[in-house]
């Protein structure tokens, strides 16, 4: 049975996405809070994520590339959250974000050992920017391009 459409849930409490004023976001399940910001001075430009004391980074172009993938998919896509090195469900955002067939031909994550969880941390940024609809259940969430 298909899930009902995502309802708008506030996943950002404040911030403008800069290093000095990061977004404060929640993961799709709304179970964890984290900070994210753009670092366009990084090589390559990066979306920085801080979860507690752990810093992760993803290629900033992943925002536009994921939106393009979701538009092409035309429907809900499962997130498939997984750490680097763990299996990902076929057809999921997480599988795409590390596939040799994506636009960067591999991981969008930049820090070896911490390149997974793209779906968990990047999709709330896209939701905040108004680019996607994101489900917020306890698990098995999906995302689609905003109408």
């Amino acid at each position: 049975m298909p899930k009902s459409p995502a309802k708008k849930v506030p996943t950002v409490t404040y911030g403008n996405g800069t290093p000095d004023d990061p977004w404060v976001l929640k993961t799709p399940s709304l179970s964890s809070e984290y900070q994210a910001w753009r670092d366009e001075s990084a090589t390559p430009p990066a979306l920085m994520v801080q979860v507690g004391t752990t810093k992760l980074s993803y290629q900033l172009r992943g925002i536009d590339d994921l939106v393009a993938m979701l538009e092409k998919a035309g429907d809900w896509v499962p997130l498939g959250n997984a750490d680097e090195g763990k299996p990902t469900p076929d057809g999921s955002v997480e599988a795409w974000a590390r596939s040799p067939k994506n636009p960067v031909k591999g991981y969008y994550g930049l820090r070896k050992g911490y390149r997974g969880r793209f779906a968990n941390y990047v999709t709330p940024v896209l939701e905040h920017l108004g680019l996607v609809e994101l489900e917020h259940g306890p698990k098995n969430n999906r995302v689609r391009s905003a109408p």
Side-chain angles (χ1 to χ4, degrees):
M1 178 159 179
K3 290 184 181 180
S4 60
K7 59 182 178 175
K8 190 73 172 156
V9 176
T11 57
V12 65
T13 55
Y14 58 87
N16 65 18
T18 64
D20 294 330
D21 190 18
W23 293 305
V24 177
L25 302 162
K26 290 194 175 197
T27 57
S29 65
L30 305 177
S31 61
S32 298
E33 191 173 89
Y34 66 99
Q35 296 181 345
W37 63 93
R38 293 180 184 99
D39 184 353
E40 298 194 32
S41 67
T43 305
L47 176 68
M48 305 299 297
V49 171
Q50 184 157 349
V51 185
T53 59
T54 304
K55 283 190 179 176
L56 303 97
S57 55
Y58 302 97
Q59 292 186 50
L60 189 57
R61 69 172 286 175
I63 291 173
D64 292 332
D65 291 351
L66 178 55
V67 169
M69 183 277 277
L70 293 170
E71 287 172 349
K72 185 176 179 185
D75 202 359
W76 291 101
V77 176
L79 297 184
N81 297 329
D83 290 325
E84 180 177 352
K86 301 283 185 184
T88 58
D90 288 341
S92 68
V93 170
E94 195 68 39
W96 170 85
R98 54 181 77 181
S99 169
K101 296 179 182 176
N102 70 31
V104 298
K105 307 208 180 324
Y107 281 97
Y108 279 88
L110 296 170
R111 182 176 171 208
K112 189 162 174 55
Y114 296 88
R115 297 182 296 185
R117 297 274 172 191
F118 177 92
N120 202 48
Y121 297 120
V122 176
T123 56
V125 172
L126 272 63
E127 181 182 42
H128 173 64
L129 296 173
L131 301 171
V132 301
E133 288 184 79
L134 181 60
E135 292 180 330
H136 295 286
K139 59 183 182 176
N140 299 321
N141 290 304
R142 303 175 301 168
V143 64
R144 69 177 174 186
S145 178

